[in-house]
Structures are given as structure tokens and as C-alpha cells.
């Protein structure tokens, strides 16, 4: 187990470093010049001759003339200390922005993951048990449809449907904690994104388990169907579903980018969206890195938990 | 003929006798087309996809108005005989803009898919043929690219390369005076292509690598090798035709996801910039007013939803048609 953990870490850590490298390289390529930004404040007060000199001195002072690798290692050093920089629009501490909004998105995401699982596993089971019937096609086709329909399409359409056409809810806006009725629609929309993956995975797993000898034996013994499903099929079929956690995490993160502003939720995704809209470099970088960390961590946890769930996986 | 059709066995015998020539004409592709057309959902998908392509090709000629023409006396009007889908917040004809949006979406999807297939095939082939070390390295790179959400990475790239691309074009315009480089609308598209292609190629690379590895084990490849057929010939003659089915299926799915990514980038204000019409920026500019001008959001949103649904159904049908052995294993 120890060797296995080390091996998994040996995969996760270089991946993370590479993500850092990509993010940093893209910033170096980026159009944003902080010094030019600073200088624009003194427009007209400095004469043009002195200006070049001043810019050069400021660049030296902030180490912007150093080599790529020196700058990169300095940047890593700051990251380690939790310094993600300051946002261009509004001059706020990026880490603080993320830390403040993250818990809200985390709760929403957790709720979304729970709803996806609660909906996806039974749907996948039903589809598998009624394989190649209209029910199977409806479930698979229906969820397949939502595979790529993005949140910013679903959200307004469902809002129009529920609020204007059916008139069964008031406009859900804002955030007053997780256990409020206005959270229902955002969580549902979040959950729809990764749902097809869970349904497909469950369906495939159930179909596979269904043909196993022990299931046939159980059927021959005359066990009731629901007992076979609960005791034998579901238990074994759930294992591969765990591997979809990484997809779920990604779906939730990307979903929240669009969701937050539509529902006026002060979450992580809203910070990301504002960052993109304002070409706010430090914010975009911070958000990308935190998302990558979340996904890499989720995959690492899945890898580490998996051998416990499925002892057939060789640990070495 | 009338005599032989009396009994079933005679009929099938006759068919078998005539099968000599029929065998050659009923190719694998015809079979696949037959299977595709029997599936009702994929026919719907095919029709929607054809509609999209027609709209993309001929949209500007069908469109009753220009995509920028404003009618300031008729701002944000409901659908009417003059404006079939109504007008938007600054009086532009919504139907015309949806048609132009189809062109944007299709253009981006085709180019992105094309670029990422080329990159993916090259890297997949390196992984498949380059030995264990090459396989490991490319595998690592793919893992890394896939560990960042595609949308975030594409957005990050688009934001970073945008300014350099624009300055590059301006420089060319300043030195050569080509009118082509004065117009920046296609530069937006170029930036989007770059970002999207970068996040879409790993899927193809994985697919190609997997195909090379799994087909290599097949007996007919082994047989070809044992009689001394060269690697290149095996690749062209056996691997390529066998791998093309899964590639077509992946192409269809990534076509729709490229479309969605383009809309997402445009929604976030990074991709296609107004006044250019993109379904994404059309949704974005009206999302705040969904409660009192719902059709302004609903029209582009429904279009995008229907189109992606249609393409996905088509891809699903193609999957069943081209890989009959993996029936319903989506």
C-alpha cells in the first residue's frame, strides 16, 4: 500500500508542477504589463524622457527583467506562501477572494454530486435491467442529450420554464445557506452536467455484473430480484462508479462558472467569470490553479480509495 | 422468378445465387448507412445537422436582414411577420443573427476539429509506434492537459494569445498594408481555434494510440507482418480503415463539444466579440433580462441546445452503425 501511495503521488505531483509551468508560461506570454498599468496612473505627470528610465527601474525592482526560470521559481516561492497576487480590477487579494467564495461553491458542488449520484445510479440500474427497451433508450438518450448542453443554456431555459411558464417558483437569487428552496434549481442544473457519465458507468457496470456466475447462482436459488440487485449487483457495480468522481468534480467546477452569476450566488465560479470578463490575469490564474488542484486531488483520492473497494486491483 | 418465390427456401436460395454480385455491392459502408437510417433518433440528428450545415453555408443569403442592421424603432420586439423571431435589445433581427451564429459555430467547430485531429493523430502515432519511452512521455502530456478543465485552459490560452496575435496582425498590416489584416474579426476566431484545438487533441491522441495498440494484436495484422508487409503499408492498408469508424464517431462528438466550447468562450466574452453573432454572446448579452424578454435568451439557447442534441444523437447512431460489435455501449 505504501509503495502504491508513493507511486500515485509520483504521478500527481509532476502533473501539478506541469500545470503550474503551463499557467506561468501563459502569463509570460500574456499581454498584461503591470508596469504599464502602474504608469498609466501617472499619465501626464512624468515627461517622456524620464519615463523610460523610471519604467526600467521599476521593472528591475520587481524582477521583471530576470530570466524566465528565476521568475518562475520566485513565483512558486510566493505561491507556497499563499500569495496568488492582486486582482487588476479592484486590487483585491486573489487568495482571499477564492477562500471567501470557495466554501459556498463547495457546498453547492457537494450537493450537486449527491444529487447526481442519487439520480444517476438508479437510472443506470433501470436502464441496464431493461436493456434495449424503450425505457433504456429514453434514459440513455435523455441523459446523453444533456451531456454537452451547457449550464448557460439550461439555466435560462429552466428559469423561463419554471418561473414564467409554469409559475411554480419565485426567481431564485442569492445565497442564504444550503438548505433553502432557492438552492434547488441551481443544484439540479449542476447535477445534470455530470449525470450522463454516472448513468453510463452504472449501466455498463450493472450489465457486466449481471452476467456473472454468482448472480446466476443467486437467481437459480430463487432469490427475489430486489435482493439480488441490492446485495449482489449494486454492491459490485458501484465500484467503477467511483472512478467518475473526477469527471463529476470537473463538471461541477465548470458548471459553477456560469451558474453563479445567473443565480447571483457569491461563489468561486462567479470569481472566475468576473476574472475572464475583465481579462483579470491574476484571478484567472488563481482560479485555474485551484480547479486543477481540486481535480488532481479528486483523482488521487479515487486512486487511493479504489484498492480498498476492489481488492482485485493489484496494489503493486 | 414467380415459381421460385412460391416457397421461402427457394427464395433464399435464389438470393444466395444472385448474392455473388450482391456481395460485392453491399459494402461495409452501405451496411452502416442502413443501420444508421433505421435508428429514428439518429435520423432526427442527421436532419438537424443538415439544417445546421445549410444555415452555415447559405445563412447570410437566407437571412432577411444583416446581422448588424439596427431598427431603433423596433427594439426588443416580440416575434412578428417582419421579424420572425423578434428583435434584440438594440433592434437587430434575431432570426438573421441566429443564422449568422450558425456560421460562426460551424466554422469554429470544423476548424477546431480539423486542427485537433491532425495534432491528435500525430501524437497518437508517436505514442503507438515510438516505443515505450515515447508512449510514456506522450501519455504524461495527455494526462497533464486533461487534468485542467478544458474550458478554463482554453480560456486561459485565448486570453494570453489574444493580444500577441492582434499586435502581430497590426504589425503585418503596418508593413504590408494587406487589408486582410486590418479586420480583427477573424483574429478572434483564430484565437478561439488555438485555445480549443489545444484542449481537444488529447482525446484523439488517446483514441489513435488505443486503436494502434488493440489492432496490432489482431490476427490479420500478425499475418500481414509474417508475410513481410512493411509497417507503413500495414498502417495504411489495415490500421487506417479499421480505425476510421471510431474516429468518425469521435469527430461527431467533438464537433458538438467544440461548438459548445466556442459558445462558452463567447459567453464569457473571450471568444467571438459582438457585433459578430455567436449564440454564446447572444445569450450573454440578454441573460440579465430573461424574466421580461425571455425570447431573447430562449431563441439562441434553444438553438444551441437543439443543435448539440441533434449532433450527439447522430454521433450515437454512428457509433451503433459503424461499430456494430459494441452495440449500445455508450
Amino acid at each position: 500500500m505504501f509503495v502504491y501511495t508513493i507511486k500515485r503521488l509520483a504521478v500527481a505531483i509532476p502533473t501539478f508542477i506541469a500545470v503550474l509551468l503551463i499557467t506561468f508560461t501563459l502569463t509570460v506570454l500574456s499581454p498584461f504589463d503591470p508596469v504599464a498599468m502602474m504608469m498609466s496612473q501617472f499619465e501626464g505627470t512624468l515627461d517622456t524622457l524620464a519615463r523610460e528610465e523610471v519604467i526600467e527601474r521599476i521593472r528591475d525592482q520587481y524582477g521583471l527583467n530576470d530570466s524566465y526560470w528565476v521568475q518562475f521559481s520566485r513565483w512558486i516561492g510566493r505561491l507556497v506562501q499563499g500569495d496568488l497576487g492582486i486582482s487588476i480590477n479592484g486590487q483585491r487579494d486573489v487568495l482571499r477572494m477564492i477562500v471567501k467564495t470557495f466554501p459556498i461553491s463547495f457546498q453547492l458542488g457537494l450537493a450537486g454530486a449527491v444529487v447526481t449520484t442519487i439520480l444517476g445510479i438508479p437510472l443506470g440500474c433501470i436502464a441496464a435491467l431493461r436493456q434495449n427497451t424503450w425505457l433504456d433508450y429514453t434514459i440513455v438518450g435523455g441523459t446523453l442529450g444533456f451531456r454537452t448542453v451547457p449550464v448557460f443554456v439550461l439555466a435560462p431555459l429552466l428559469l423561463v420554464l419554471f418561473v414564467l411558464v409554469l409559475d411554480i417558483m419565485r426567481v431564485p437569487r442569492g445565497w442564504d445557506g444550503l438548505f433553502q428552496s432557492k438552492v434547488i434549481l441551481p443544484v439540479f442544473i449542476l447535477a445534470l452536467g455530470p449525470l450522463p457519465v454516472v448513468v453510463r458507468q452504472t449501466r455498463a457496470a450493472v450489465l457486466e455484473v449481471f452476467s456473472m456466475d454468482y448472480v446466476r447462482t443467486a437467481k437459480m436459488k430463487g432469490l427475489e430480484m430486489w435482493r439480488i440487485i441490492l446485495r449482489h449487483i449494486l454492491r459490485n457495480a458501484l465500484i467503477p462508479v467511483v472512478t467518475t468522481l473526477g469527471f463529476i468534480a470537473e463538471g461541477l467546477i465548470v458548471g459553477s462558472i456560469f451558474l453563479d452569476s445567473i443565480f447571483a450566488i457569491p461563489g468561486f465560479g462567479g470569481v472566475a467569470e468576473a476574472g475572464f470578463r475583465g481579462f483579470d490575469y491574476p484571478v484567472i490564474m488563481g482560479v485555474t490553479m485551484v480547479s486543477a488542484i481540486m481535480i488532481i486531488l479528486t483523482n488521487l483520492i479515487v486512486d487511493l480509495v479504489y484498492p480498498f473497494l476492489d481488492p482485485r486491483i493489484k496494489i503493486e | 422468378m414467380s415459381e421460385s418465390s412460391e416457397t421461402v427456401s427457394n427464395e433464399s436460395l435464389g438470393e444466395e445465387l444472385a448474392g455473388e454480385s450482391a456481395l460485392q455491392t453491399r459494402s461495409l459502408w452501405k451496411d452502416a448507412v442502413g443501420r444508421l437510417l433505421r435508428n429514428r433518433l439518429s435520423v432526427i440528428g442527421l436532419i438537424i445537422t443538415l439544417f445546421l450545415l445549410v444555415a452555415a453555408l447559405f445563412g447570410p443569403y437566407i437571412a432577411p436582414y444583416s446581422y448588424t442592421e439596427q431598427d431603433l424603432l423596433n427594439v426588443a420586439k416580440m416575434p412578428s411577420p417582419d421579424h420572425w423571431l423578434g428583435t434584440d435589445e438594440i433592434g437587430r433581427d434575431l432570426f438573421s443573427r441566429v443564422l449568422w451564429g450558425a456560421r460562426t459555430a460551424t466554422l469554429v467547430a470544423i476548424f477546431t476539429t480539423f486542427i485537433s485531429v491532425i495534432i491528435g493523430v500525430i501524437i497518437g502515432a508517436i505514442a503507438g509506434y515510438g516505443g515505450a519511452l515515447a508512449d510514456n512521455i506522450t501519455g504524461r502530456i495527455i494526462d497533464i492537459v486533461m487534468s485542467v478543465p478544458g474550458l478554463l485552459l482554453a480560456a486561459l490560452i485565448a486570453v494570453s494569445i489574444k493580444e500577441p496575435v492582434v499586435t502581430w496582425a497590426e504589425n503585418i498590416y503596418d508593413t504590408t498594408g494587406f487589408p486582410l489584416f486590418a479586420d480583427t474579426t477573424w483574429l478572434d476566431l483564430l484565437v478561439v481555434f488555438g485555445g480549443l484545438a489545444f484542449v481537444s487533441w488529447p482525446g484523439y491522441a488517446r483514441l489513435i494510440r488505443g486503436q494502434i495498440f488493440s489492432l496490432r494484436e489482431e490476427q490479420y495484422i500478425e499475418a500481414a507482418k509474417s508475410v513481410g508487409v512493411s509497417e507503413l503499408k500495414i498502417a495504411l492498408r489495415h490500421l487506417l480503415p479499421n480505425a476510421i469508424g471510431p474516429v468518425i464517431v469521435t469527430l461527431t462528438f467533438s464537433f458538438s463539444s467544440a461548438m459548445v466550447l466556442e459558445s462558452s468562450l463567447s459567453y464569457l466574452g473571450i471568444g467571438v466579440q459582438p457585433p459578430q453573432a455567436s449564440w454564446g454572446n447572444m445569450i450573454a448579452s440578454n441573460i440579465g433580462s430573461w424574466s421580461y424578454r425571455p425570447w431573447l435568451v430562449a431563441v439562441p439557447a434553444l438553438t444551441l441546445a437543439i443543435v448539440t442534441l441533434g449532433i450527439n444523437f447522430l454521433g450515437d447512431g454512428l457509433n451503433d452503425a459503424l461499430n456494430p460489435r459494441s452495440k449500445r455501449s455508450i
Side-chain angles (χ1 to χ4, degrees), chain A residues 10-11 14-15 18-19 22-23 26-27 29-31 131-132 136-137 140-142 144-150 152-157 159-160 163-164 171-173 200 203-204 207 250 253-254 257-258 261-262 272-273 276-277 279 281 284-285 287-288 291-292 295-296 299, chain B residues 41 140 143-153 155-164 198 253 256-257 260 263-270 273 279-280 283-284 287 290-295 297-302 304-306 308-309 312-313 316 327-330:
Chain A
V11 172
T15 311
V19 169
I22 293 176
T23 330
L26 284 172
T27 346
L29 283 176
S30 86
Q131 194 194 1
N132 294 339
D136 180 22
Y137 295 142
V140 173
L144 173 83
F146 293 110
R147 175 152 74 187
T148 50
V149 177
F152 63 89
V153 167
L154 270 179
L157 288 180
L159 277 173
V160 170
V163 179
L164 296 182
V171 184
R173 282 183 73 79
R200 251 178 302 154
R203 184 178 174 281
L207 281 180
E250 178 170 345
I253 291 171
V254 171
I257 293 177
F258 300 103
S261 71
I262 297 176
E273 194 192 341
F276 282 124
R277 287 200 186 284
F279 284 74
Y281 235 85
I284 298 175
M285 275 170 68
V287 166
T288 311
S291 312
I295 290 168
I296 293 171
N299 285 328
Chain B
L41 274 185
R140 272 280 72 104
D143 279 351
I144 290 163
V145 175
M146 282 186 148
S147 68
V148 186
L151 176 75
L152 282 177
L153 192 56
L156 192 59
I157 292 171
V159 171
S160 323
I161 64 175
K162 183 163 185 139
E163 209 67 27
F198 190 83
F253 284 128
S256 70
S257 54
V260 168
S263 305
S264 310
L265 287 186
S266 303
Y267 177 88
L268 291 175
I270 301 165
Q273 304 292 328
W279 297 333
I283 298 172
I287 194 127
W290 68 266
S291 54
Y292 53 98
R293 291 166 182 170
W295 74 97
V297 184
V299 168
L302 270 178
L304 183 57
I306 291 171
T308 46
L309 269 175
N312 283 349
F313 284 144
D316 191 31
K327 184 135 179 52
R328 309 242 36 109
S329 63
I330 30 160

Side-chain angles (χ1 to χ4, degrees), chain B residues 1 14 58 61 87 118 124 132 146 160 167 184 214 253 256 278 322:
Chain B
M1 214 30 218
F58 304 110
Y61 309 105
T87 57
I118 290 176
M146 282 186 148
S160 323
T167 8
T184 55
S214 75
F253 284 128
S256 70
S278 151
L322 293 170

Side-chain angles (χ1 to χ4, degrees), chain B residues 108-169:
Chain B
V108 171
I110 288 177
F111 269 90
T112 319
T113 312
F114 185 71
I115 301 170
S116 50
V117 164
I118 290 176
I119 304 176
V121 167
I122 292 171
I123 295 198
I126 292 174
Y129 286 114
L133 182 67
D135 187 27
N136 262 330
I137 293 173
T138 49
R140 272 280 72 104
I141 296 173
I142 292 172
D143 279 351
I144 290 163
V145 175
M146 282 186 148
S147 68
V148 186
L151 176 75
L152 282 177
L153 192 56
L156 192 59
I157 292 171
V159 171
S160 323
I161 64 175
K162 183 163 185 139
E163 209 67 27
V165 167
V166 170
T167 8
W168 167 78

Side-chain angles (χ1 to χ4, degrees), chain A residues 123-132 136 202-207 210:
Chain A
L123 282 177
C125 273
I126 295 169
L129 295 174
R130 297 271 175 275
Q131 194 194 1
N132 294 339
D136 180 22
T202 314
R203 184 178 174 281
V206 168
L207 281 180
F210 210 58

Side-chain angles (χ1 to χ4, degrees), chain B residues 36 246 249 253 314-324 326-330:
Chain B
L36 183 70
V249 174
F253 284 128
L314 178 66
D316 191 31
L318 281 172
N319 191 30
D320 290 349
L322 293 170
N323 314 320
S326 70
K327 184 135 179 52
R328 309 242 36 109
S329 63
I330 30 160

